[in-house]
Amino acid sequence: ALDTFPYSNTTTSCETLLMGVPVICLNGQSHGSRVGMTLLACLGLEKLVAQTQDEYVAIARSLASDLGKLSLLRQRLRPLMLSSSLCDGPRFMSRNYEPAIRDKWRLFCNGRQPSHQEPD
């Protein structure tokens, strides 16, 4: 699958990888254009991350022309995803989300009011 640019897929890429389909992405400078790189790096698949448009095409061409390599990669993807931090909800909650919520609560208890943004 070819990831979109300049705004990467997130959920769609995760679901695609979970179904055993490799995702090729073009890395960018903004958060939205670096999501694909982050997801692939979590899986150790940095070789599917292009830094230029020419490299993006070359990676896609290389995978499409080597069906044996593509088949092996596809066989590995689902187990790789399931054993990765991307699919470890309890770890995410205990190491990332819950501490962030506790920090926000602590700030509130110390007198900091929640930020408020007016809708456009």
Side-chain angles (χ1 to χ4, degrees), residues 68-110:
K69 181 179 174 181
L70 178 60
S71 178
L72 288 174
L73 179 58
R74 291 190 65 167
Q75 290 173 29
R76 290 182 39 224
L77 280 176
R78 187 174 184 87
L80 194 58
M81 273 293 287
L82 290 173
S83 64
S84 77
S85 61
L86 297 172
C87 290
D88 190 350
R91 179 179 172 200
F92 171 79
M93 291 298 289
S94 65
R95 291 191 182 177
N96 300 99
Y97 186 72
E98 290 171 356
I101 294 298
R102 273 195 229 70
D103 287 343
K104 296 293 182 189
W105 178 250
R106 205 171 292 117
L107 289 170
F108 177 77
C109 290
N110 289 331

Side-chain angles (χ1 to χ4, degrees), residues 8 10 23 26 34 50 59 76 83 88 99 102 110 119:
S8 294
T10 303
V23 174
L26 176 58
R34 297 179 65 78
I59 293 169
R76 290 182 39 224
S83 64
D88 190 350
R102 273 195 229 70
N110 289 331

Side-chain angles (χ1 to χ4, degrees), residues 16-45:
T16 300
L17 292 162
L18 190 59
M19 293 296 106
V21 178
V23 174
I24 300 164
C25 76
L26 176 58
N27 200 22
Q29 298 301 314
S30 68
H31 165 76
S33 65
R34 297 179 65 78
V35 172
M37 182 273 306
T38 301
L39 297 174
L40 292 169
C42 283
L43 302 175
L45 296 174

